Amino acid sequence: MTEAPLRLTELSHGGGCGCKIAPAVLSEMLSHMPAAQPFANLLVGTETADDAAVWRLNDQQALIATTDFFMPIVDDPFDFGRIAATNALSDVYAMGGTPIMALAIVGMPVNKLPLSAIGRILEGGASICAEAGIPVAGGHSIDSPEPIYGLVALGIAHPDVIKRNRDARDGDVLILGKPLGVGILGSAMKKGVLDADGYAQMIATTTQLNKVGPALAIQPGVHALTDVTGFGLLGHLLEVCRGAGLGATVSATALPIMPAAIPFAQQGIGPGAIARNLASCGDAVQFGNGVEEWQRSVLADAQTSGGLLVACSADAAQAVLETFRKGGFGAAAIIGRMHTGAAEVRIKA
């Protein structure tokens, strides 16, 4: 009898950004860290859970540093490598920067996973870095019980164009660059109910580099940028609200969603991270009448290599949408607004 091929997702307890520690748990963990000493050149640190750290090198350059890694969200090794690398580089783009170099983070069960499969994971990551125009200049590897892959990503930007998640303003329009539903499609794949078209939708969005970040950062009227990943749209938008001291209202019917994810969401298929993310949001998210249960799931769905979330002035919104569309992000859409009030998110039908 022919032995069934090994599935990467069977070697790990979670996958993609759904592996992230829940926001409330992470906040509790970090609360015990000693207060950081002030550094004049540290432009962005841990204060508002931003996407990357930023260090001013001189008056013209700031270094952006971040790291991201996780366990497989798909079974194809090459695709896993591509998704993980795209996701890691996104944090540089979300600060308005351009990647310059990456280091690989590799943890593999070498007694379970063929070396050829591990090689394909690394090739997938390297292919995305090549697309971004940067080298994988080194890294570190360990023998681990579950497969883990990701990158340390370094980037550069002018200090004056760095975009923080805390700088949204009252009246800003919220624009999301990629469709939601990655975690839901990943769960459907694990259950064996995702067809080829659904898989293609998931791979297309998770391997699309957020290269428009630097172009958005220099556009007049763009005030804040972040990317939507493991905490779902709700969790990452709450970070924007808390950083800015503002509220946000989002229209559930305006959300860009991958078509293949909608029927699965309606059937209740999705990662466990959805429940964790909703619980972490608590009373800071208010759902209006008419918002359906499946829409709540999409809003809290853990995105892997998700889209950029932009807060910009109303008169800049069309230019932002045009920048997204020129960059190949056809699903980009206005989803809501920032406003004065408590740091909470209201969802309307």
Side-chain angles (χ1 to χ4, degrees), residues 171-191:
D172 273 357
V173 171
L174 293 168
I175 299 176
L176 181 61
K178 286 186 182 182
L180 302 171
V182 174
I184 291 166
L185 291 181
S187 293
M189 188 201 70
K190 287 185 178 182
K191 292 179 177 292

Side-chain angles (χ1 to χ4, degrees), residues 70-97:
F70 46 63
M71 291 165 280
I73 188 175
V74 294
D75 291 314
D76 182 274
F78 189 75
D79 283 345
F80 170 41
R82 294 168 68 208
I83 293 168
T86 306
N87 180 76
L89 294 177
S90 182
D91 286 339
V92 173
Y93 294 126
M95 301 305 297

Side-chain angles (χ1 to χ4, degrees), residues 1-219:
M1 180 180 294
T2 303
E3 188 174 345
L6 185 66
R7 297 182 62 189
L8 280 180
T9 53
E10 292 179 348
L11 294 175
S12 59
H13 73 280
C17 288
C19 300
K20 292 178 76 167
I21 295 173
V25 178
L26 182 60
S27 178
E28 173 65 18
M29 290 168 54
L30 295 178
S31 70
H32 299 292
M33 288 183 63
Q37 296 298 313
F39 291 90
N41 288 320
L42 184 61
L43 302 183
V44 181
T46 61
E47 300 83 9
T48 58
D50 221 320
D51 298 293
V54 181
W55 183 270
R56 183 196 301 271
L57 297 175
N58 51 54
D59 290 343
Q60 302 298 317
Q61 295 175 309
L63 178 68
I64 301 167
T66 183
T67 184
D68 216 314
F69 52 89
F70 46 63
M71 291 165 280
I73 188 175
V74 294
D75 291 314
D76 182 274
F78 189 75
D79 283 345
F80 170 41
R82 294 168 68 208
I83 293 168
T86 306
N87 180 76
L89 294 177
S90 182
D91 286 339
V92 173
Y93 294 126
M95 301 305 297
T98 300
I100 57 172
M101 184 175 69
L103 306 174
I105 298 170
V106 183
M108 295 291 158
V110 294
N111 61 332
K112 296 180 182 178
L113 196 58
L115 295 182
S116 59
I118 297 173
R120 288 292 285 167
I121 294 171
L122 302 183
E123 288 175 26
S127 74
I128 289 296
C129 288
E131 185 180 335
I134 64 170
V136 180
H140 184 65
S141 61
I142 62 169
D143 184 356
S144 66
E146 295 180 293
I148 297 169
Y149 177 70
L151 299 175
V152 173
L154 302 176
I156 205 86
H158 193 288
D160 294 343
V161 304
I162 294 294
K163 294 301 174 185
R164 300 164 177 83
N165 64 359
R166 69 186 185 200
D167 291 335
R169 301 180 187 179
D170 178 28
D172 273 357
V173 171
L174 293 168
I175 299 176
L176 181 61
K178 286 186 182 182
L180 302 171
V182 174
I184 291 166
L185 291 181
S187 293
M189 188 201 70
K190 287 185 178 182
K191 292 179 177 292
V193 294
L194 184 66
D195 62 16
D197 179 63
Y199 184 79
Q201 289 181 38
M202 180 171 68
I203 295 301
T205 190
T206 54
T207 59
Q208 184 178 20
L209 286 164
N210 282 318
K211 286 185 177 182
V212 293
L216 291 169
I218 62 173
Q219 281 193 215

Side-chain angles (χ1 to χ4, degrees), residues 23 48-49 51 165-166 168 172-176 180 224-251 255 281 284-285 299-300 307-311 335-339 342-347:
T48 58
D51 298 293
N165 64 359
R166 69 186 185 200
D172 273 357
V173 171
L174 293 168
I175 299 176
L176 181 61
L180 302 171
L225 270 176
T226 191
D227 64 346
V228 177
T229 56
F231 299 156
L233 176 61
L234 291 179
H236 291 286
L237 181 52
L238 268 178
E239 291 175 341
V240 172
C241 291
R242 288 165 177 161
L246 297 170
T249 296
V250 169
S251 170
L255 298 172
C281 291
V285 173
L299 284 157
L308 295 179
L309 179 63
V310 182
I335 62 168
R337 283 183 179 268
M338 303 295 298
H339 50 74
E344 62 183 23
V345 178
R346 304 171 192 164
I347 308 300

